Amino acid sequence: MTIDQFNFAGKKAFVRVDFNVPLDENFNITDDNRMRAALPTLKKILADGGSIIIGSHLGRPKGPADKFSLKHILNHLSELLGVDVQFANDCMGEEAAVKAAALQPGEVLLLENLRFYAEEEGKPRGLAEDATDEEKAAAKKAVKESQKEFTKKLASYADCYVNDAFGTAHRAHASTALIAKYFDKDSKMFGYLMEKEVKAVDKVLNDIKRPFTAIMGGSKVSSKIEIIENLLSKVDNLIIAGGMTYTFTKAMGGKIGISICEDDKLDLALELVEKAKEKGVNLVLAVDAKIADAFSNDANTKFCPVDQIPDGWEGLDIGPETEKIFTDVIKNSKTILWNGPTGVFEFENFTHGSRAVGEAIVEATKNGAFSLVGGGDSVACVNKFGLASGVSYVSTGGGALLEAIEGKVLPGIAAINE
Ligand code: AMP
């Protein structure tokens, strides 16, 4: 079933969205792209004469916590939809069931953060650090058991299920995958956003025009290692940028000062360099860095070779030579994937590299390349620099996007297709 084929008139739809938006210390939304991205789906349901129960997570709560309450986004959601959205303080409570049952066509109910319950993710919480393997296994079994009831209850609120949360499609959670089995094939579907994401991934996976260049930035190798390994069998050029750079530099014997580095990943970095050679992938590493004497926008700065960073200094962005190397590779590419900034782009004085990479991607796109930008921070980058309209597709998914590109079957997608 596709959302365009479905008529929501008189139906209640449970829509799983990804409203995991960044909030500042006063709970103001600092980037509402994820909310806007779900609007076409929500508006289509309302225009048909349906009503909506919205489920989402926000952050990584370990239980109910005001800081992670979805009530902080309620007003903004009402504004975006032009409807007074109702709120249920507890996604499992009596109130949620009563409000869902009373929904009239055109009405919307936002459920409190689904992850206030361990059952959403199906992972035990509150285990003692010294828990034995048996205790861990028992706790896991218990939460898997109660997860069934949790999922069934969520499903009971609605007549149909729409998954528009690409950002969590790689997780087999209650509301992103397990819930689908309570709906028959004709009453479960992707939302518009999910449809678009699936199409964009397909282009990078099955319709590759070469050269294919991936730019992997961000802070840590450890969080991206699997993806990097997998990309090595797909791409022609792999650009390593951001904080990861210094783990590679140190592994190869360079001096990195106090730059961010994962000392337990040095061997891994060397292995990746070897693997790239074996596979004939052009692994592109930084040659110079913009270094700072403190982790601050106002720090003193200078440029230096990436492997000669003085003691007490740290690399917070790429230098001009690296920028030239990276952007030349990008401009000559026909398929481009960008995940992660080249530096600490949150500090204005260290945005230059990320901006240059973004601009090179836009130029390549103008010349016919297909460019896909994904991962929270790269999306923040292209938005910050006003480049979003110049790339082919800006994904709302970080991990989900990368897993999809690795060729993994995403549970959230499989659950609808089954
Ligand atoms: P990730 O979530 O792994 O994509 O990492 C993104 C974060 O990496 C951003 O918040 C950047 O500030 C940070 N980052 C990028 N380059 C560096 C660097 N050279 N040193 C420290 N943090 C960095």
Side-chain angles (χ1 to χ4, degrees):
M1 175 58 64
T2 71
I3 183 164
D4 265 334
Q5 291 165 345
F6 198 84
N7 185 353
F8 290 89
K11 304 261 191 225
K12 291 190 168 77
F14 182 98
V15 186
R16 177 48 157 107
V17 295
D18 180 1
F19 284 173
N20 183 25
V21 290
L23 301 172
D24 67 15
E25 63 278 12
N26 297 316
F27 303 114
N28 297 308
I29 300 165
T30 54
D31 178 352
D32 70 351
N33 272 292
R34 287 184 166 167
M35 295 176 74
R36 289 181 185 276
L39 290 180
T41 295
L42 300 175
K43 287 192 168 164
K44 141 85 177 163
I45 299 170
L46 296 180
D48 274 3
S51 57
I52 310 174
I53 298 111
I54 298 180
S56 180
H57 71 287
L58 177 66
R60 295 190 169 160
K62 295 277 167 273
D66 188 67
K67 185 173 158 204
F68 297 113
S69 173
L70 281 167
K71 72 179 181 208
H72 302 306
I73 69 156
L74 186 63
N75 286 343
H76 191 56
L77 180 60
S78 296
E79 273 165 27
L80 290 174
L81 279 175
V83 168
D84 251 337
V85 177
Q86 303 172 41
F87 188 65
N89 275 310
D90 173 351
C91 70
M92 284 288 109
E94 182 64 17
E95 185 202 7
V98 169
K99 284 189 171 167
L103 282 180
Q104 297 300 311
E107 292 186 342
V108 184
L109 171 67
L110 173 66
L111 300 177
E112 180 56 288
N113 195 339
L114 301 175
R115 288 197 189 163
F116 282 2
Y117 283 85
E119 284 77 5
E120 166 63 0
E121 296 176 272
K123 278 194 249 152
R125 285 185 183 152
L127 262 173
E129 267 184 27
D130 58 354
T132 61
D133 285 349
E134 287 81 45
E135 283 166 339
K136 282 185 197 157
K140 198 168 172 190
K141 192 162 168 244
V143 75
K144 287 282 174 205
E145 270 308 308
S146 52
Q147 190 179 41
K148 287 184 195 138
E149 284 311 306
F150 178 85
T151 313
K152 212 165 147 186
K153 177 111 193 249
L154 289 181
S156 74
Y157 299 152
D159 308 306
C160 53
Y161 170 65
V162 182
N163 189 349
D164 217 14
F166 183 68
T168 46
H170 57 318
R171 308 280 184 222
H173 292 170
S175 69
T176 61
L178 308 182
I179 191 173
K181 76 162 184 277
Y182 294 95
F183 298 89
D184 62 37
K185 227 180 160 3
D186 294 334
S187 49
K188 57 182 165 187
M189 67 214 86
F190 297 136
Y192 289 119
L193 170 65
M194 192 83 152
E195 276 184 357
K196 272 200 294 184
E197 299 272 3
V198 171
K199 250 188 227 152
V201 169
D202 190 61
K203 238 178 132 57
V204 173
L205 267 186
N206 302 320
D207 186 16
I208 304 173
K209 297 202 178 46
R210 298 195 176 272
F212 179 6
T213 298
I215 306 122
M216 298 299 292
S219 54
K220 290 180 173 171
V221 192
S222 53
S223 59
K224 308 224 165 145
I225 182 69
E226 271 186 54
I227 291 136
I228 293 178
E229 274 186 328
N230 278 290
L231 282 171
L232 283 176
S233 37
K234 297 198 164 44
V235 299
D236 303 292
N237 305 301
L238 179 62
I239 295 179
I240 299 283
M244 275 192 270
T245 306
Y246 308 99
T247 303
F248 282 85
T249 309
K250 183 164 176 186
M252 291 187 287
K255 271 189 64 198
I256 60 163
I258 53 166
S259 304
I260 186 171
C261 178
E262 290 169 284
D263 282 319
D264 56 337
K265 296 289 179 290
L266 298 176
D267 290 344
L268 197 67
L270 290 180
E271 274 170 36
L272 287 174
V273 173
E274 274 315 302
K275 268 195 195 145
K277 262 190 214 144
E278 276 165 29
K279 297 202 183 263
V281 171
N282 177 28
L283 186 72
V284 190
L285 292 163
V287 295
D288 60 350
K290 183 169 188 182
I291 61 172
D293 61 357
F295 189 80
S296 153
N297 190 46
D298 307 322
N300 295 308
T301 64
K302 54 187 177 184
F303 295 110
C304 82
V306 73
D307 56 355
Q308 290 168 40
I309 301 177
D311 293 344
W313 291 70
E314 61 187 308
L316 296 186
D317 198 8
I318 52 175
E321 277 182 54
T322 307
E323 206 173 282
K324 167 107 182 48
I325 296 170
F326 284 7
T327 53
D328 281 349
V329 170
I330 292 167
K331 286 179 197 164
N332 284 311
S333 303
K334 286 284 171 248
T335 304
I336 302 164
L337 169 71
W338 184 21
N339 173 275
T342 67
V344 183
F345 77 106
E346 296 90 337
F347 297 154
E348 203 48 46
N349 290 333
F350 302 96
T351 53
H352 206 275
S354 300
R355 187 190 297 269
V357 161
E359 284 170 353
I361 294 174
V362 169
E363 193 176 325
T365 311
K366 268 194 203 131
N367 293 328
F370 178 79
S371 53
L372 174 54
V373 178
D377 279 320
S378 7
V379 175
C381 267
V382 289
N383 287 330
K384 179 170 176 154
F385 307 142
L387 300 173
S389 61
V391 302
S392 309
Y393 191 71
V394 180
S395 174
T396 55
L401 173 76
L402 296 169
E403 284 196 21
I405 285 167
E406 285 170 32
K408 287 188 185 158
V409 175
L410 307 189
I413 293 176
I416 298 285
N417 288 337
E418 263 159 15

